[in-house]
Amino acid sequence: MRWDPLDEKIVTLLVADSRRSFAELGTEVGLSASAVKRRVDRLRADGVITAFTVRLDPAALGWTVEGYVELYCRPSTPPAAIRRACAGLAEVVDASTVSGDADALVRILAADMRHFEQVLEQIGAEGFVERTKSVLVLSPLIRRPPPTMH
Amino acid sequence: MRWDPLDEKIVTLLVADSRRSFAELGTEVGLSASAVKRRVDRLRADGVITAFTVRLDPAALGWTVEGYVELYCRPSTPPAAIRRACAGLAEVVDASTVSGDADALVRILAADMRHFEQVLEQIGAEGFVERTKSVLVLSPLIRRPPPTMH
DNA sequence: ACTGAAAGTGCGTGACC
DNA sequence: GGTCACGCACTTTCAGT
């Protein structure tokens, strides 16, 4: 997979604003519009850029409460079971199996505290969940995409 | 702020692919191209859509190790200090102050385990950090944008 | 192999109904 | 919200280095 400073610049610019025209990107990195398009097509084909999308503001959508839930599961619970359970809850925006005491760490968005509690109860009601431990996000400090430089 | 089922459909479609044309979005939701554009402009002005961007694959960029670090800070450490420290580390992709025993929870991407350890040392070297506790992500199960329905 | 240039199609954009 | 018209962007093809 190729990756040179021009790719890095282009990706950085696209992360900031994916609607800039190829011509505009070209003048910023010193290439023609078609050369930029070819690189973007290659970056998509290589899987570096997985999608063109929009970033949403959870608060503007009414999600005011955010929290992390540690899942302690019954012995030999398969990750697929955890994934299935989380996929069924729209409030789960992030879930991973983790090392350490807990088996999985789940990030949740809820409309309010009562809603958060309800989601917590739904997770706890899953057969494979022995107990949960949750922390609430007080204030988000940083939220950014993966860095592009090595 | 207005929010009807058509807005929800449009936002959902844009999250999946923000390069669909307004005309194409229009045929899917039953509106004309300009009507869709007006709604998208309004959603941006209202702060629901915060940016048009690209989603990157950390693994394709060489970030193979992911982990969470709990920060235990000295008494009365201001959140701004935590933010400044995290902002200086490119490997920090997410940071929030949290309730519970720890003061902050930080998500980190690293090239490999040795790199992860180095980042951990840099965080620990901050004056306000008393100790850290970290967990490694074994396998990501779910990663999705905030839900659009209420 | 990768770049730049040109051409035709389709799209974004704004004014008007 | 729909329709229309203008200008620009995207996309492909072709040729140069």
Side-chain angles (χ1 to χ4, degrees):
Chain A
M1 192 196 80
R2 257 190 56 187
W3 182 257
D4 63 21
L6 265 57
D7 292 323
E8 185 181 320
K9 279 188 195 173
I10 292 171
V11 168
T12 302
L13 291 168
L14 284 177
V15 166
D17 180 7
S18 66
R19 293 213 317 184
R20 304 262 273 284
S21 72
F22 291 134
E24 198 177 343
L25 296 171
T27 61
E28 297 214 38
V29 304
L31 284 178
S32 73
S34 9
V36 173
K37 174 186 165 21
R38 276 189 290 264
R39 280 172 181 262
V40 172
D41 288 344
R42 197 196 66 224
L43 290 164
R44 293 194 67 167
D46 288 352
V48 174
I49 296 175
T50 57
F52 282 70
T53 184
V54 290
R55 200 176 310 133
L56 303 178
D57 177 15
L61 287 164
W63 308 113
T64 63
V65 173
E66 185 177 348
Y68 288 90
V69 181
E70 288 179 328
L71 264 53
Y72 295 80
C73 302
R74 285 172 45 183
S76 69
T77 296
I82 304 175
R83 167 163 44 223
R84 261 195 307 274
C86 291
L89 296 170
E91 296 87 352
V92 172
V93 293
D94 207 304
S96 312
T97 53
V98 293
S99 69
D101 294 334
D103 297 296
L105 187 57
V106 174
R107 190 158 69 91
I108 284 172
L109 288 179
D112 51 37
M113 207 58 90
R114 163 151 183 68
H115 182 198
F116 185 83
E117 189 177 13
Q118 289 171 349
V119 177
L120 215 52
E121 286 168 7
Q122 291 182 67
I123 293 176
E126 291 290 335
F128 57 81
V129 176
E130 291 197 328
R131 64 190 187 91
T132 63
K133 181 180 169 187
S134 61
V135 300
L136 289 167
V137 167
L138 299 178
S139 59
L141 303 175
I142 287 181
R143 188 123 336 167
R144 59 187 175 199
T148 55
M149 65 287 188
H150 294 174
Chain B
M1 193 196 79
R2 259 187 56 188
W3 181 258
D4 64 21
L6 265 56
D7 291 323
E8 185 181 319
K9 278 189 196 173
I10 291 170
V11 168
T12 302
L13 290 168
L14 284 176
V15 166
D17 179 8
S18 67
R19 292 214 319 185
R20 304 263 273 283
S21 72
F22 291 134
E24 199 177 344
L25 296 172
T27 61
E28 297 215 38
V29 303
L31 286 178
S32 72
S34 354
V36 174
K37 176 186 164 20
R38 278 191 286 264
R39 279 171 181 262
V40 172
D41 288 344
R42 196 195 69 225
L43 290 164
R44 293 195 67 167
D46 288 352
V48 174
I49 296 175
T50 58
F52 282 70
T53 185
V54 290
R55 200 176 312 133
L56 303 178
D57 177 15
L61 287 163
W63 309 112
T64 63
V65 173
E66 184 177 348
Y68 289 89
V69 181
E70 288 180 328
L71 265 53
Y72 295 80
C73 301
R74 286 172 45 184
S76 71
T77 297
I82 304 175
R83 167 164 43 226
R84 261 195 307 275
C86 291
L89 296 171
E91 295 87 351
V92 172
V93 293
D94 207 304
S96 312
T97 53
V98 293
S99 69
D101 294 334
D103 298 295
L105 187 57
V106 175
R107 190 159 69 91
I108 284 172
L109 288 179
D112 50 37
M113 207 59 91
R114 163 150 182 69
H115 182 198
F116 185 82
E117 188 177 14
Q118 289 172 348
V119 176
L120 215 52
E121 286 169 6
Q122 291 182 67
I123 293 177
E126 291 289 336
F128 57 82
V129 176
E130 291 196 327
R131 64 190 188 90
T132 63
K133 181 180 168 187
S134 61
V135 300
L136 289 167
V137 168
L138 300 177
S139 59
L141 302 176
I142 287 183
R143 188 124 334 168
R144 57 187 174 199
T148 55
M149 66 290 190
H150 293 171

